[in-house]
Structures are given as C-alpha cells and as structure tokens.
Amino acid sequence: GAHYLKLWTKLLIEKPGQRTPYLFLTSRQNNTGKTTFGASIPHLINPGVAEINEEALVAKFTGELEGKVLCLIEELDLRDERKRAYAMLKRVLTSKTLTIRKMRTDAYNVPNYTHFIHTANDAKYVPVETEDMRIVMISVPQITHFIESLEFEDRVKRDAPSMLRKLLDMPLTDPYGRFWLPVVHPSLKERVLSGDYAIATSRAEEGLAGIAACP
C-alpha cells in the first residue's frame, strides 16, 4: 500500500543506484489521480525526473535515460510482436549500467539510476510474462475527495520539505533480492496474465460502434 510507495520513493532519494520494481498504475476511468504520484516526485527530486518516449524503450535512441532517476511514462502502449520494449525493460530494470545511444554518436555506458512509473487506462499496455518478477501492477481506485490540480500542486510544494523529512527519517527495509523491494502480485496482474482482464468500453464508444454497424 502507501508504505510500499513511500519506501520506493525513499530509495530514489537515498539509494538511486539500487534497483526497484517497475511501477504500473492503471485505472479504466479518467481523473483518478494515477499520474499524481509520479508528478509529485519532482518537488522532492530535481533535476533527474522526466517523461520519456517510446524510442528510449526499444533500444533505438536511449539518450533520454542518461542522468535520469525517475522516468515517467504516460499512456504508452508498449506491446509489439517482437516484445522489444519488454526485452529492453528486462535489461534496464536489473542492470547496474546503461548503454546510451544517441544520433551520430558512438554508444557508451553510464551508471544506471533509472526507476520507472508508467500510467495508463488499459492494464494491457505493459506486456508481462507468466513468471514476470519485475513489474508491479497497481489498480488505482476512484478519488473520494477531489482536489483541483492547481490547489493540489500548491499543497505539494508547500509540504515538500515535510514529506522529504519524513521519508529520510523512515527506516529502510533490508534488501529483498536483486530489487531492494519485493515484486508484489496483486489480483489485477493475475487477471491480465490469465486473459480475464478487458478494458471497459465507454458509452460514447458503444454508441459510435452502434452507428457504424447500422446499414
């Protein structure tokens, strides 16, 4: 729960070289706040947080990853027949070094400080295998108390020093294995792997499909 995410964030600050699981936050509904967690971290760590594009995840041009502590991925569908993005993630998530490729530049290696938060409406956007031990899928529930985005950001800025102090004072657990934290398997991941998960269709989409089907 929340304690897991606090420990995950604490590792970004205190031990960025340690590997952590890939966090995938998903919800079928919009305006659930699934991007809020990642968007708040730049108030605690700056620079070193950035949104990255698909090219960096298919080993084409990986320059975006250099010097990044947190990589934010929003609404990117990483599925393809060759599973290039998943293969790239499997290497990056556990490796101590990164191979950086830029246009018209020879490839070179740098220390790997990257950690990932991916958000999307469709839980199938992240390809996973049956025995995956790298990705944590988190189902984000509806917001019970909505706060306007500008007000929320102002509160985060105001409370950032206090949040940082609490994270630094929090005891850190012992390392679990190749990742400092264990890879938990909530029911959502099991449904995706078993094929029981299906993205919900909005009423508007159902209406358009009905119109398209009319002769």
Side-chain angles (χ1 to χ4, degrees):
H3 190 65
Y4 186 93
L5 296 181
K6 289 176 185 177
L7 290 172
W8 196 91
T9 307
K10 179 181 176 71
L11 287 167
L12 299 187
I13 299 168
E14 289 191 6
K15 299 180 180 294
Q18 297 295 327
R19 312 315 304 141
T20 56
Y22 184 98
L23 296 185
F24 180 51
L25 281 67
T26 181
S27 171
R28 288 185 169 100
Q29 292 79 30
N30 292 317
N31 298 318
T32 57
K34 55 182 174 288
T35 62
T36 301
F37 175 53
S40 300
I41 293 178
H43 296 294
L44 307 178
I45 304 172
N46 188 25
V49 180
E51 185 172 343
I52 62 171
N53 63 35
E54 189 174 6
E55 286 189 341
L57 297 176
V58 293
K60 188 174 182 181
F61 298 116
T62 56
E64 291 182 70
L65 302 179
E66 185 174 6
K68 299 299 185 297
V69 176
L70 177 59
C71 300
L72 302 175
I73 306 170
E74 186 172 353
E75 292 298 338
L76 271 184
D77 188 346
L78 302 183
R79 296 170 295 180
D80 66 72
E81 293 181 358
R82 297 170 59 187
K83 295 185 178 180
R84 293 175 298 172
Y86 185 67
M88 173 70 172
L89 285 173
K90 286 201 294 186
R91 294 194 301 270
V92 171
L93 288 172
T94 55
S95 177
K96 292 290 186 180
T97 61
L98 283 174
T99 299
I100 301 299
R101 296 182 179 88
K102 298 180 180 179
M103 293 183 64
R104 296 182 291 276
T105 303
D106 292 337
Y108 57 94
N109 291 332
V110 298
N112 183 11
Y113 299 115
T114 59
H115 307 264
F116 295 85
I117 297 177
H118 188 163
T119 58
N121 284 2
D122 191 339
K124 294 183 292 184
Y125 272 17
V126 173
V128 291
E129 297 173 347
T130 304
E131 298 180 358
D132 173 78
M133 293 299 295
R134 295 171 174 84
I135 298 171
V136 175
M137 288 187 168
I138 301 173
S139 180
V140 181
Q142 284 290 119
I143 295 175
T144 56
H145 178 64
F146 182 78
I147 302 174
E148 292 291 343
S149 56
L150 290 178
E151 180 185 355
F152 181 83
E153 187 171 357
D154 286 341
R155 291 189 187 184
V156 172
K157 288 180 180 178
R158 182 188 62 200
D159 293 339
S162 175
M163 289 188 287
L164 188 59
R165 182 71 267 168
K166 289 180 179 178
L167 287 173
L168 293 175
D169 290 343
M170 178 188 299
L172 191 61
T173 59
D174 294 330
Y176 185 80
R178 61 180 174 177
F179 293 130
W180 196 285
L181 297 176
V183 176
V184 294
H185 297 283
S187 60
L188 171 63
K189 190 173 185 179
E190 299 301 325
R191 296 203 309 273
V192 172
L193 289 169
S194 66
D196 291 338
Y197 174 89
I199 186 69
T201 304
S202 69
R203 291 184 178 180
E205 291 171 325
E206 291 175 352
L208 289 173
I211 293 171
C214 292

